[in-house]
Amino acid sequence: MNTFSLVFRSITQRALSVTLTGLSIALGVALISATLELKRQVEESFNQSSVGYEMILGAKGSALQLVLNTVYQLGDPVGNIPYSVYQKYRNHPMVSWAIPFGLGDNYKGYRIIGTTEEIFTKFTYKPNQTFELAEGRAFKDSEPFAAVLGSDVARQLQLKIGDKFIATHGLQDVAAEMAIKHEHDPMTVVGILKPTYTTCDKAIYISLPTVWAIHEVEEEKDLEVRNDEMARIRKDAQTEAALSASPSDAHPAHTKPTAESYPHQHEKKATSEFQTPPSEKQPADKASSSLSRHSDETALVKHDEHEPRKSDKTHPTAEPQLSEEASHQAGGNHIEHSHAHQIPTEGDVTAVILKTKAPIFALQLYKIINSEPLAQAAIPTREIKNLFDIVGNINWAFLFITALVIAVALIGVMVAIYNSLSERRRDIAIMRALGAHRARIFAMITLEAATVSLLGALVGIVLSKVLLLGLRPFVLARTGVEISAPIFNSGEIALILVVTGVGALVGILPAANAYRTDVAKNLNPIS
């Protein structure tokens, strides 16, 4: 009987012990194999996400934060840059194309990105791969409140062409009672993108003027709220001063008449102050128009001359707002109706993706932008490399811990074989008596340890594939990265060989013990 047959028979006789030992090896191998493969695919996906353009233009601050927020939708924006800066570099002679991003809103946790229609024709999310529409169409730059959904957004939220949704202020989903919804401007789904298996699948794209229009209305509403709050505080202060007055001052006989006490008289007095003397009286129509004009403006000048006026916040390109009286006459829907027809033509931009006309221009343009007082340039590949360099030590620490798990399992193999020798010494003595050389006994024990390690490693690789397939939907939902489960790549083959070799090494100790088996002593009758 050859050595391999003896090893196989020995393993089958101790099936339970070998199975438990091999399972411990398999779990350790599965953990380290899945970790290495997941790390490799995520890094490869992150590096490929920036292929197709050289740099990102954004506000001064952290370059890594700018890249993570723009490319991978992680964290908060660094800030905004003026529209003039975007126009400057869009028309720069070294730039092939520039795609702006405007952030600030989300829908159920999915970010809404304001951009231009060039995102569907020029942007490459992977080498030589642009966006493709699964259904519907792309929006136009001049088309307000039209949205194109990433495939993951449409799938998770069950949205289809023609559906409407309300955006929420902020980049993260918050509790309903704390959410600030843009209810005055619902979005309409006009297109759905095909899956890209990147973070782009988790985004909602709208035209950039839509982002400006939404937040312009919010600024106007906030200004009105602040003015109302200031008026309320002023009224409360006057009431508190009146209540804290002395009894003598509060007595009706000694109370000094005020405008608040006699509102009609105050109005008449305010009007009469601006009337012209009889000697300089104007014609009746001009006098009445002047009178009405002064009576309208008196309250503003007298009471609110230090408050910011709503017209001051109006966008330079927006049309003049209707008066408050006119808006009430229109049925109280001034914001909805005026906003539907007043779309700003420019505003702040969160980031700009730049593609140079030739790679040789990239470094030169990078230096030019970083000398800009209002903006900075970030190279995604460089920033991601720096990020992985930072977290690389953590990855190695985790791999070291995983390697210890495999080492403990291999030591378990050695202990299991060593303990089984007490039951097998008589068999070894019989083999020696029949002519088996000590070297063959040594090789048989070592080969047994290597075989158990090999079987455990093979099972571990299979378990790692199952683990990757199980993590696939979770990783896709969290990061937008699609992971695969390739069969036996070069790294896994190397891992199998290493585990098998180390298993053979740990089998040397029990093999040496079997090598020194005393034949005469172990051939004595058992009883």
Side-chain angles (χ1 to χ4, degrees), residues 54-86:
E54 285 81 15
M55 66 190 67
I56 300 173
L57 173 67
K60 291 289 187 182
S62 170
L64 177 59
Q65 183 180 354
L66 175 62
V67 172
L68 292 178
N69 178 72
T70 305
V71 182
Y72 307 111
Q73 302 181 24
L74 300 174
D76 296 324
V78 179
N80 292 330
I81 57 176
Y83 187 78
S84 58
V85 176
Y86 158 62

Side-chain angles (χ1 to χ4, degrees), residues 426 429-430 518-527:
R426 187 174 181 84
I430 294 174
D518 189 338
V519 178
K521 180 179 179 180
N522 288 280
L523 284 177
N524 290 331
I526 298 176
S527 56

